[in-house]
Amino acid sequence: MGNRLSKIVTRTGDAGTTGLGDGSRVTKDCLRIDCIGEVDELNSCIGVLLAETLPDAVRETLLSVQNDLFDLGGEICIPNSAYISENHILRLEEQAGRFNAELSPLKNFILPGGTRAASLAHLARSVCRRVERRVVHLGNSEPVSDFARKYLNRLSDLLFILGRTLNQAEGRGDVLWVQNKGS
C-alpha cells in the first residue's frame, strides 16, 4: 500500500469520476460510491466515539468494528468481492449478547442521549441504519453480499446496546421516552 498511497493528490477525479478497486471508473455520484462514502462516514463517527474515555471492552470492540468497516468499504469498492463473512456477524452477535447481559431489560423506548459517549454511540447507530438502507438499495440493482447487509444490521443493534452500556458505565440510566399527550 505504501506505493499506492504515496501520491494523494492525483487530479484523476477532477472530471467527476473515480476509480473502483477493480480499475473501472464510475461517476462520483453513482450509488456504489455513495455507499462507500456512507461506510466511511460511519467509520468516522466511530472514530469520534473512540476519542472519548471508554471502558476497555467497548474500545476493543469498536476498534475491531472500524477494521471491519474498512473491509466492508473495500468489498463495496471491488464489485463481486466478499470480505465480510459469517464469522464477522457471529462476532457481533457474541459481543452484543455479552454487553446486553449486563443491562437491565428494556421496558420503555429510550431516547438517544445521556452521556456524550452514549450519545455518540447512538449517532453512529443512526448513521449505520442509513448505511444499511443505502447498501440494500445498491443490492436492488447490483450484487451485494448478504453478509454485508447482515453485518450492518447487527452492527446497528450492537451500537444501540453500547449506547446503553456507556450510560451505565457512567452511572447514568437510559433516557426514557415520555409520550407527549398534547397540551
Side-chain angles (χ1 to χ4, degrees):
M1 291 298 286
N3 289 336
R4 269 188 85 187
L5 297 179
S6 61
K7 187 174 181 184
I8 302 302
V9 178
T10 63
R11 297 186 177 97
T12 58
D14 288 353
T17 64
T18 191
L20 293 177
D22 65 358
S24 64
R25 293 198 69 78
V26 295
T27 61
K28 289 187 178 189
D29 66 350
C30 81
L31 186 53
R32 184 170 295 276
I33 297 305
D34 191 40
C35 286
I36 293 167
E38 302 251 355
V39 170
D40 186 39
E41 181 183 353
L42 173 57
N43 211 340
S44 296
C45 285
I46 292 173
V48 172
L49 174 54
L50 281 162
E52 298 292 311
T53 301
L54 304 172
D56 290 341
V58 171
R59 179 171 300 286
E60 290 170 19
T61 296
L62 292 173
L63 286 169
S64 177
V65 164
Q66 277 199 306
N67 282 284
D68 292 348
L69 289 173
F70 207 84
D71 290 339
L72 177 59
E75 181 173 313
I76 296 169
C77 182
I78 304 171
N80 299 309
S81 66
Y83 300 125
I84 300 297
S85 69
E86 184 175 17
N87 288 335
H88 291 89
I89 295 161
L90 293 173
R91 188 179 72 242
L92 288 184
E93 289 175 353
E94 183 276 325
Q95 291 166 334
R98 183 170 36 96
F99 285 111
N100 199 47
E102 302 296 320
L103 299 171
S104 61
L106 280 175
K107 296 179 182 176
N108 298 327
F109 289 108
I110 65 170
L111 300 176
T115 66
R116 179 175 166 83
S119 298
L120 290 169
H122 284 292
L123 178 61
R125 174 194 48 79
S126 66
V127 170
C128 185
R129 286 289 190 206
R130 179 169 26 96
V131 175
E132 180 185 10
R133 291 189 303 271
R134 297 303 287 167
V135 169
V136 166
H137 186 67
L138 176 64
N140 289 333
S141 59
E142 299 183 46
V144 173
S145 157
D146 286 341
F147 293 133
R149 287 191 297 265
K150 289 178 183 179
Y151 182 88
L152 290 164
N153 188 272
R154 297 308 184 285
L155 178 57
S156 63
D157 293 339
L158 176 62
L159 290 166
F160 176 83
I161 293 165
L162 291 180
R164 294 188 69 213
T165 297
L166 292 167
N167 272 336
Q168 180 178 282
E170 292 298 317
R172 298 274 305 263
D174 295 317
V175 180
L176 301 179
W177 170 63
V178 178
Q179 186 174 11
N180 184 349
K181 301 196 191 252
S183 302

